[in-house]
Amino acid sequence: MVQLTTPAEELGGGGRLAGRATRARVLLVTAAMGSGHVQVSREVAQRLGAAGHETRVEDLNDLMVGPSGQWLAHLYPWMVQRAPWLYDGIYRIFFKAPQDRGERVDVPALAAMPGLRRVVREFRPHVVVSTYHIASQALGRLRAEGSIPVPVITFVTTFGVHELWLHPATDGYLCISPVVAGALGQRTSAPVRCCGPVVRPAFDRSRRDREVPRRRAGARV
């Protein structure tokens, strides 16, 4: 099992990839289901690019055969806004199922696999990173069948780890908090590493600037 000393370590957050002497190619697979997964991928790509590495960000929805990806992208916001009861049912059946029942996402995962194979052949990455759970399922299958000969890393972008993030062929996991890393480490034998929140440095500075006046105002009361 690969250790997180591969080119994916910390993904531009100060780990080995950021300090590599040679240029690495990193393929990031996300999905525009809302904007959170996409923004994490873009920020990681920006950091890696600043460190001199080559990145490519792919939307899983665009890689699915026919109109299935766009249909899925429109279905999610519709369910959340108009039919939350339906999303709740889907979450209970699919997301909370034991790991071996992750095969229940056969349709979207299989629909994306031909497109993923093509992108891997074209880009020839040194490491492939998923920031979306169905992408993790599809990439895990490709890794298991040998279509991806390099490490596949899942970057869990949420504070709750459901079963669809997990695949037995995934080489390692990155998490945004120690709590998530601890929970994930109890459910997989693959290496798990916490690399901290993935936000732009300006975001942290802006938050700190807002907090200082509040603390000072509180001191005067």
Side-chain angles (χ1 to χ4, degrees):
M1 182 64 69
V2 69
Q3 298 298 313
L4 288 185
T5 51
T6 67
E9 184 175 4
E10 295 187 7
L11 295 176
R16 285 179 176 266
L17 180 55
R20 277 177 62 105
T22 58
R23 191 182 192 193
R25 290 186 300 274
V26 182
L27 174 62
L28 296 114
V29 184
T30 186
M33 309 290 282
S35 61
H37 303 284
V38 174
Q39 293 303 325
V40 168
S41 296
R42 289 175 178 170
E43 178 62 18
V44 169
Q46 191 278 329
R47 295 186 189 187
L48 294 177
H53 303 292
E54 184 179 357
T55 62
R56 179 167 172 172
V57 179
E58 288 286 344
D59 187 331
L60 192 75
N61 296 325
D62 295 335
L63 299 177
M64 291 184 182
V65 295
S68 55
Q70 294 306 312
W71 178 83
L72 189 63
H74 286 89
L75 177 64
Y76 172 73
W78 178 84
M79 284 193 300
V80 172
Q81 296 173 18
R82 302 294 182 87
W85 56 270
L86 178 59
Y87 182 75
D88 179 69
I90 291 174
Y91 189 91
R92 291 175 184 274
I93 294 172
F94 292 90
F95 292 58
K96 298 183 73 173
Q99 184 173 339
D100 59 358
R101 291 168 64 192
E103 301 300 314
R104 291 189 174 197
V105 293
D106 267 339
V107 173
L110 291 176
M113 287 171 67
L116 284 170
R117 290 191 187 98
R118 172 180 54 79
V119 169
V120 169
R121 287 196 303 267
E122 293 174 355
F123 189 56
R124 294 180 295 118
H126 295 106
V127 64
V128 183
V129 181
S130 166
T131 64
Y132 183 62
H133 54 271
I134 295 180
S136 297
Q137 292 295 317
L139 292 170
R141 295 183 187 201
L142 292 176
R143 180 69 165 135
E145 71 178 30
S147 295
I148 299 180
V150 298
V152 169
I153 306 297
T154 285
F155 195 141
V156 180
T157 60
T158 62
F159 286 95
V161 183
H162 55 70
E163 295 296 327
L164 295 186
W165 283 111
L166 302 170
H167 192 282
T170 299
D171 294 285
Y173 296 86
L174 298 173
C175 303
I176 58 176
S177 81
V179 174
V180 176
L184 188 57
Q186 296 178 6
R187 295 156 70 178
T188 179
S189 60
V192 179
R193 186 179 181 92
C194 174
C195 60
V198 183
V199 295
R200 296 181 181 179
F203 179 86
D204 279 343
R205 288 195 298 269
S206 176
R207 177 175 56 81
R208 289 195 300 268
D209 290 344
R210 290 195 304 271
E211 288 176 349
V212 169
R214 290 175 183 171
R215 289 196 296 267
R216 290 175 179 171
R220 290 195 297 268
V221 174

